[in-house]
Amino acid sequence: MSKATINPETLYGSTQFGFSHAVKSSRATTVHCSGQVAWDKDYNIVGGDDIAAQARQALSNLKTVLADAGASIDDIVRLRTYVVNHKPEYLEPVGMALAEFYGDTTPAANTWIGVQSLAMPEFLIEIEATAEINE
């Protein structure tokens, strides 16, 4: 069982923006993570109006969910990033949060989706993941 990121040299470089063009996987168990937001354990919003801080908290929550499922960042094959009222200025701070999240791991495939709103008005970003693990 394996996972391979696909980043053709004939396409634009994507990993510096926090995603690979595709992920090919033949692992046994799929973990579908619900979208994570910037809530802490006590339902406090972390980051206020700072999209980068909210992204870091959402990614931290995602990392916790993955760990409880027996997965890690290395096992992610797909992210979906939902951003309220997206504007180009959000690319850099969210991209930096994604880079911190992935560290030395090549990023998985990711689709960035601008949305009008999320479940609560204070949420600026929601990030969901799909991971595949060997069991």
Side-chain angles (χ1 to χ4, degrees), residues 100-115:
E100 292 169 16
F101 174 71
Y102 279 114
D104 292 333
T105 300
T106 302
N110 185 5
T111 299
W112 186 299
I113 306 158
V115 297

Side-chain angles (χ1 to χ4, degrees), residues 3 27 29-33 59-77 101 105 129-135:
K3 174 187 112 171
R27 296 186 177 186
T29 300
T30 303
V31 180
H32 299 275
C33 300
L59 290 164
S60 176
N61 292 349
L62 184 58
K63 191 174 184 180
T64 299
V65 171
L66 288 167
D68 258 29
S72 73
I73 292 168
D74 289 329
D75 299 312
I76 297 171
V77 296
F101 174 71
T105 300
T130 304
E132 293 193 354
I133 57 176
N134 298 319
E135 286 193 307

